Amino acid sequence: LAPDVLPAIDADIAQYPGVETGGVLIGWTSIISRRMYVLATLPAPPDSKRSASLFELGVEGLTPVLTEIAAQTGGALLCLGTWHSHLGMATPSGVDWASAAALGLQETLPMTLLIRGHGEMRAISTLAAANAVAAASEAQLRKVGN
């Protein structure tokens, strides 16, 4: 994370006390070093939904903003995924894993979901989540086939 990313995330969390909040991660990926470099965040679109137990990222106006960022940087900076907060620990929920897997099955580039909890942050790889779902599905099919 770039030095100003975590303070930006924490400022957004402070702006929405008592509910989960979130946003979009912007940066670049190095396939060679197997790293993502998060350089900035975008605020949640206005149609996002916040509650004490769930943050749902909206989509209103997001595509044009992401398209403009990619155009201005010659495709060097892209959406790397999303971040959201938990009111407790940063332990990924079932919804978090399912969201990561769904995104991993749809997107060709690796992405991440960051979760900010009390004093900690966790990341879920969309690729790893999608692979776990695929492996579980294969195992289930083998089980049913026997």
Side-chain angles (χ1 to χ4, degrees), residues 131-143:
N131 287 342
V133 167
S137 295
E138 285 179 29
Q140 187 65 27
L141 287 174
R142 280 192 298 266
K143 190 176 186 181

Side-chain angles (χ1 to χ4, degrees), residues 48 51 96 115 127 140:
S48 298
S51 73
D96 296 333
I115 303 165
L127 182 59
Q140 187 65 27

Side-chain angles (χ1 to χ4, degrees), residues 49-119:
K49 297 176 184 166
R50 295 171 177 88
S51 73
S53 60
L54 183 70
F55 171 73
E56 185 178 318
L57 184 70
V59 296
E60 186 179 320
L62 190 55
T63 298
V65 171
L66 294 174
T67 301
E68 180 66 19
I69 290 169
Q72 287 181 354
T73 64
L77 298 182
L78 301 169
C79 174
L80 295 180
T82 65
W83 73 269
H84 73 278
S85 63
H86 281 185
L87 298 181
M89 303 303 289
T91 305
S93 68
V95 171
D96 296 333
W97 282 108
S99 297
L103 190 56
L105 292 169
Q106 292 175 355
E107 292 294 326
T108 56
L109 293 174
M111 299 185 92
T112 190
L113 278 67
L114 294 182
I115 303 165
R116 179 69 165 150
H118 285 205

